[in-house]
């Protein structure tokens, strides 16, 4: 009697598993793909950075999405546009050129009689902030489609931020302008300061360790 | 065991087997029909239009940063609905506060030199940037319902306010002053000064 009952139950269980098991597995996989909860950390760090130049960059992120119905009915493929959504996100990024004084070594400042020689570390550039213009953010959506939600807007703003950095990395002229202005500004700040300490301006020499490379662009909390 | 009971169990098992085999056949036939039927699907293509970086301003600055405070703030909003379930929006903001000295605020008579003695009066320690949130890095952790631009702006302001409370503490400002003093002392020693006095302007 027990054997028959076990056989009967195993039939039922295996049937249930066969028909529902796969679906459950897919759901589990999809859940596994979702972003984990970001770990929240607050850090306080000591540093010594002299920011000498500031760039403010304005960027407009334009996003267009088009919804279509695609079918291969009777062997004939067709695309039927059903609506579009457009999003405009104006944003502003601030980049700053700086000299990292924590890299300054003792022999980077030398005094020879009334002459002062200061060798500064290579300038670096950092993206210090981005700000979205919420008043200027607009979306145009066909009435039967859903608006861009907050998560979608966030994702497109992040792409805009990446585009700002990539464009700067690939634009040699702009790189050069930032480098020159970071260097000039550092000299304009330090020479008067050192001259106030009793040295003649013409006796102060400020130079940089090596050619600046924009590949050093550091990006905040990336 | 009675013969009637035995027949009942055999019968039950047979019916179960028939159900399972039938279900297998149905599934096989259905999947064949599904593959043969015309496919109709709704697709969405997203294009990000290339736009230039427009340099709005370039300016020379002289900000010396001594303390960096990285902060992450969770901000949430709820809309109460009368009939349907409530709407929620939870976002995580990332910011970096930079504390230091703005050398453009250095007074003309801030440096006094007398032989190998120097007295330097530095401007007060402050937050170097009012915009310190990297808003384009913000993460939307949970969202239900619809949220407008005013809500996003309002949440940004709340995140900024919370970060300021955390970062601009008396301890952090004092620590920044100590670091600034140590850094300046090292620099002045490098320039040959033996007796160094460093003061800070009061606000």
């Amino acid at each position: 009697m027990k054997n028959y009952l076990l056989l009967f139950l195993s039939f039922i269980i295996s049937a249930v598993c066969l028909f529902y098991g796969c679906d459950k597995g897919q759901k589990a996989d999809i859940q596994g793909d979702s972003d984990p909860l970001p770990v929240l950390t607050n850090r306080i760090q000591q540093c010594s950075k002299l920011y000498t130049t500031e760039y403010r960059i304005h960027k407009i992120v334009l996003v267009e999405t088009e919804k279509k119905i695609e079918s291969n009915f009777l062997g004939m493929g067709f695309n039927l546009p059903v609506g579009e959504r457009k999003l405009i996100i104006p944003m502003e990024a601030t980049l700053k050129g700086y000299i990292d004084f924590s890299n300054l070594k003792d022999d980077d400042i030398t005094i020879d009689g009334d002459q002062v020689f200061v060798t500064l570390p290579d300038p670096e550039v950092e993206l210090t902030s981005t700000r979205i213009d919420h008043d200027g953010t607009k979306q145009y959506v066909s009435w039967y489609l859903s608006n861009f939600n907050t998560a979608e807007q966030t994702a497109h703003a992040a792409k805009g931020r990446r585009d700002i950095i990539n464009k700067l990395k690939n634009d040699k002229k702009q790189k050069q302008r930032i480098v020159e202005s970071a260097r000039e500004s550092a000299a304009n700040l330090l020479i008067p300061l050192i001259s106030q300490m009793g040295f003649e301006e013409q006796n102060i020499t400020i130079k940089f360790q090596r050619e600046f490379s924009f590949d050093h662009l550091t990006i905040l909390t990336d | 065991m009675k013969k009637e009971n035995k027949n009942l169990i055999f019968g039950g098992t047979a019916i179960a087997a028939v159900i399972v085999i039938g279900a297998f056949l149905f599934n096989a036939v259905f999947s064949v029909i599904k593959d043969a039927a015309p496919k109709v699907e709704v697709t969405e293509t997203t294009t990000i239009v290339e736009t230039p970086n427009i340099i709005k301003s370039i300016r020379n600055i002289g900000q010396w940063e001594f303390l960096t405070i990285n902060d992450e703030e969770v901000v949430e909003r709820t809309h109460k609905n009368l009939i349907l379930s409530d709407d929620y929006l939870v976002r995580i903001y990332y910011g970096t506060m930079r504390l230091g000295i703005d050398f453009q605020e250095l007074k003309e008579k801030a440096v006094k030199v007398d032989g190998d003695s120097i007295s330097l009066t530095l401007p007060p320690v402050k937050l170097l940037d009012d915009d310190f949130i990297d808003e384009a890095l913000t993460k939307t952790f949970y969202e239900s319902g619809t949220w407008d631009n005013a809500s996003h702006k309002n949440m940004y302001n709340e995140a900024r306010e919370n970060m300021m409370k955390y970062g601009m503490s008396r301890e952090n400002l004092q620590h920044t002053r100590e670091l600034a003093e140590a850094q300046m002392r090292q620099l002045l020693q490098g320039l040959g000064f033996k007796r160094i006095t460093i003061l800070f302007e009061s606000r």
Side-chain angles (χ1 to χ4, degrees):
Chain A
M1 174 74 177
K2 267 185 184 173
N3 289 340
Y4 287 122
L5 270 174
L6 280 173
L7 192 67
F8 181 73
L9 282 172
S10 65
F11 260 124
I12 299 298
I13 290 165
S14 54
V16 167
C17 288
L18 275 168
F19 288 109
Y20 295 100
C22 294
D23 278 346
K24 292 280 179 198
Q26 275 176 352
K27 275 177 194 163
D29 281 350
I30 291 163
Q31 279 167 356
D33 286 343
S34 65
D35 280 343
L37 177 69
V39 179
L40 301 185
T41 51
N42 297 328
R43 283 198 319 269
I44 298 179
Q45 288 173 302
Q46 292 182 16
C47 64
S48 182
K49 291 177 181 174
L50 178 63
Y51 292 94
T52 58
T53 188
E54 181 195 86
Y55 271 66
R56 281 189 182 264
I57 290 171
H58 184 70
K59 175 94 180 165
I60 296 175
V61 181
L62 297 177
V63 185
E64 294 177 353
T65 69
E66 194 180 8
K67 273 207 168 167
K68 281 179 187 170
I69 293 177
E70 287 182 1
S71 179
N72 62 349
F73 185 62
L74 295 175
M76 293 182 295
F78 71 87
N79 287 332
L80 188 68
V82 287
E84 57 180 12
R85 307 190 298 157
K86 293 195 177 188
L87 175 69
I88 301 172
I89 309 174
M91 59 193 285
E92 198 171 291
T94 307
L95 287 112
K96 286 183 177 178
Y98 68 88
I99 313 288
D100 193 347
F101 272 77
S102 51
N103 294 335
L104 203 72
K105 292 181 272 329
D106 285 345
D107 55 0
D108 286 334
I109 303 174
T110 51
I111 298 170
D112 184 8
D114 55 357
Q115 301 275 324
V116 185
F117 300 92
V118 182
T119 308
L120 294 176
D122 307 325
E124 302 271 352
V125 177
E126 193 171 60
L127 192 150
T128 59
S129 77
T130 53
R131 189 162 186 182
I132 292 163
D133 175 6
H134 294 290
D135 295 327
T137 301
K138 308 272 180 221
Q139 48 180 308
Y140 306 93
V141 179
S142 302
W143 64 272
Y144 44 87
L145 296 179
S146 58
N147 280 345
F148 287 92
N149 64 15
T150 306
E152 283 176 296
Q153 290 182 42
T154 307
H156 290 307
K159 282 177 197 160
R161 182 188 184 275
R162 268 201 300 277
D163 192 49
I164 290 174
I165 294 161
N166 290 340
K167 279 209 164 69
L168 279 170
K169 276 184 175 174
N170 299 326
D171 187 338
K172 280 187 181 173
K173 271 187 183 173
Q174 212 167 60
K175 274 187 221 175
Q176 201 55 38
R177 274 173 75 187
I178 294 178
V179 174
E180 288 308 322
S181 108
R183 283 179 170 175
E184 261 180 49
S185 187
N188 288 340
L189 188 82
L190 291 173
I191 291 172
L193 193 69
I194 297 170
S195 74
Q196 279 188 61
M197 294 167 188
F199 296 93
E200 293 291 330
E201 276 198 13
Q202 63 269 23
N203 292 337
I204 304 165
T205 310
I206 291 186
K207 56 181 183 177
F208 289 84
Q209 279 171 0
R210 61 179 162 89
E211 279 302 303
F212 171 76
S213 161
F214 206 81
D215 295 335
H216 292 150
L217 182 78
T218 47
I219 306 150
L220 272 179
T221 47
D222 228 4
Chain B
M1 193 182 284
K2 284 182 182 177
K3 200 180 176 184
E4 284 170 9
N5 282 348
K6 268 187 179 177
N7 286 341
L8 202 65
I9 289 163
F10 272 125
T13 310
I15 290 166
V18 168
I19 290 170
V20 170
I21 292 162
F24 268 124
L25 286 172
F26 176 76
N27 192 38
V29 171
F30 181 73
S31 58
V32 168
I33 291 169
K34 201 171 79 175
D35 290 343
K39 279 179 188 164
V40 178
E41 53 185 351
V42 179
T43 57
E44 187 175 75
T45 18
T46 302
T47 319
I48 296 177
V49 182
E50 276 284 312
T51 55
N53 288 348
I54 297 162
I55 297 176
K56 207 174 146 189
S57 68
I58 305 169
R59 68 180 183 117
N60 290 338
I61 52 171
Q63 299 171 335
W64 208 317
E65 177 195 358
F66 297 103
L67 197 71
T68 311
I69 301 154
N70 293 306
D71 194 9
E72 298 167 346
E73 286 290 333
V74 178
V75 181
E76 56 179 352
R77 287 284 180 281
T78 312
H79 271 167
K80 295 272 176 204
N81 291 322
L82 280 175
I83 303 163
L84 300 167
S85 61
D86 296 343
D87 296 340
Y88 294 98
L89 181 60
V90 184
R91 306 190 84 194
I92 302 161
Y93 290 86
Y94 297 88
T96 303
M97 282 169 279
R98 295 172 174 81
L99 302 188
I101 289 162
D102 191 343
F103 271 82
Q104 285 178 335
E105 293 174 2
L106 196 75
K107 299 269 165 62
E108 262 184 48
K109 291 178 181 174
V111 186
K112 284 175 192 154
V113 180
D114 182 13
D116 61 357
S117 303
I118 187 167
S119 163
L120 176 64
T121 308
L122 294 170
V125 158
K126 66 172 197 173
L127 179 69
L128 297 174
D129 281 304
D130 284 335
D131 286 340
F132 53 81
I133 293 183
D134 200 343
E135 200 181 1
L137 276 188
T138 305
K139 285 192 171 70
T140 301
F141 180 64
Y142 184 79
E143 181 179 15
S144 66
T146 52
W147 298 89
D148 58 9
N149 293 340
S151 306
H152 298 153
K153 194 176 174 179
N154 192 268
M155 290 175 87
Y156 171 91
N157 290 336
E158 188 183 318
R160 189 180 178 281
E161 220 169 273
N162 291 347
M163 285 185 196
M164 288 281 282
K165 271 185 212 159
Y166 168 72
M168 296 296 286
S169 66
R170 193 179 292 181
E171 291 79 22
N172 284 346
L173 289 171
Q174 181 55 33
H175 189 32
T176 310
R177 264 190 291 271
E178 287 163 9
L179 292 169
E181 195 182 328
Q183 184 70 51
M184 283 296 139
R185 197 171 286 279
Q186 193 189 347
L187 206 66
L188 294 171
Q189 276 169 350
L191 287 167
F193 292 99
K194 300 276 184 274
R195 276 173 291 174
I196 300 160
T197 310
I198 295 167
L199 303 165
F200 286 89
E201 276 174 43
S202 52
R203 277 225 162 262

